[in-house]
Amino acid sequence: DAKTTQPTSMDCAEGRAANLPCNHSTISGNEYVYWYRQIHSQGPQYIIHGLKNNETNEMASLIITEDRKSSTLILPHATLRDTAVYYCIVMAGAGSYQLTFGKGTKLSVIP
Amino acid sequence: GEEVAQTPKHLVRGEGQKAKLYCAPIKGHSYVFWYQQVLKNEFKFLISFQNENVFDETGMPKERFSAKCLPNSPCSLEIQATKLEDSAVYFCASSQPSQGPYEQYFGPGTRLTVT
């Protein structure tokens, strides 16, 4: 699976959009981009995933560049409860299904 | 159930003792995964099951660790002769690929402390 690079930490003001970048320059054509987050010490929580097109769900939006070498997770109106470590994971469309977590981005939402 | 359940929440063992952790996946999910989180951000995949069959065990330590998923029983992860380095939070996750590629639902974890 392709390696990902994320900033170690970011701050965001409450109510503003949080934009979390991820670089995955070695991504292959059959690899999806997944985002998970871990709030405090809870189990990781799935947020969103995509292959080529931008995706949106009730939690977030995922913007994938045309060359697929990078993506951005957008939390449109960050709340204090969005403070968490966010993981960008690239995984092939077939295989063992295991998730390979990197170090992630620690997002702090500030009142 | 609608959530992955893990028991116990906390487990304390002396070095050399056995530890056994349990996981009940979401009803209807056919895949179960075990992950170990030693430091705050460091996850390690251990093993996965498709129903009661081992699907991928490439992350399992060769010695002391074993896991099972038997029909009509919670899945289990057992560590024989625990070592200090086994202290970690162990997460179980389940998924049903037919419902969408690889979304995994995680349990709350079991914190194992080896003293």
Side-chain angles (χ1 to χ4, degrees):
Chain A
D1 296 329
K3 185 181 161 75
T4 61
T5 305
Q6 298 178 253
T8 303
S9 64
M10 293 180 67
D11 291 341
C12 178
E14 191 179 15
R16 304 298 291 268
N19 297 283
L20 291 92
C22 179
N23 284 323
H24 31 78
S25 58
T26 60
I27 192 170
S28 300
N30 67 341
E31 288 181 315
Y32 290 80
V33 180
Y34 279 78
W35 284 84
Y36 279 75
R37 71 180 180 184
Q38 185 178 29
I39 297 173
H40 194 49
S41 297
Q42 298 175 20
Q45 177 189 24
Y46 164 83
I47 301 172
I48 199 166
H49 73 276
L51 183 63
K52 291 182 186 176
N53 300 320
N54 299 336
E55 303 287 345
T56 295
N57 63 19
E58 65 278 2
M59 286 182 70
S61 294
L62 174 60
I63 308 297
I64 302 174
T65 57
E66 197 167 334
D67 63 8
R68 303 211 321 125
K69 293 185 177 182
S70 65
S71 60
T72 302
L73 177 75
I74 301 171
L75 307 178
H77 305 287
T79 70
L80 298 178
R81 287 173 295 180
D82 293 321
T83 292
V85 178
Y86 287 77
Y87 296 95
C88 169
I89 298 168
V90 169
M91 190 162 59
S96 67
Y97 310 100
Q98 60 163 293
L99 295 170
T100 302
F101 291 86
K103 295 193 184 298
T105 296
K106 168 69 177 173
L107 175 69
S108 299
V109 180
I110 301 165
Chain B
E2 292 298 317
E3 293 181 342
V4 175
Q6 290 189 249
T7 55
K9 200 168 181 177
H10 301 281
L11 189 58
V12 180
R13 288 288 180 265
E15 247 192 315
Q17 291 186 316
K18 184 174 77 174
K20 196 163 185 178
L21 293 62
Y22 297 92
C23 168
I26 292 172
K27 194 175 177 183
H29 282 194
S30 58
Y31 284 84
V32 171
F33 306 79
W34 285 98
Y35 295 88
Q36 178 194 58
Q37 188 177 30
V38 175
L39 298 172
K40 268 199 160 181
N41 290 15
E42 299 277 348
F43 282 91
K44 180 188 173 188
F45 166 75
L46 295 175
I47 190 170
S48 61
F49 288 84
Q50 182 180 14
N51 297 310
E52 62 267 26
N53 304 308
V54 174
F55 189 72
D56 182 351
E57 58 182 347
T58 53
M60 277 291 264
K62 299 293 182 200
E63 299 173 352
R64 304 186 299 109
F65 282 65
S66 62
K68 290 179 189 175
C69 276
L70 299 175
N72 303 313
S73 296
C75 296
S76 64
L77 176 69
E78 190 167 323
I79 309 172
Q80 302 283 345
T82 53
K83 297 183 178 181
L84 296 175
E85 68 216 43
D86 298 331
S87 294
V89 181
Y90 292 83
F91 288 102
C92 170
S94 71
S95 73
Q96 181 55 289
S98 64
Q99 292 177 353
Y102 308 109
E103 180 177 345
Q104 294 182 18
Y105 296 82
F106 283 76
T110 293
R111 180 175 296 278
L112 172 65
T113 302
V114 181
T115 61

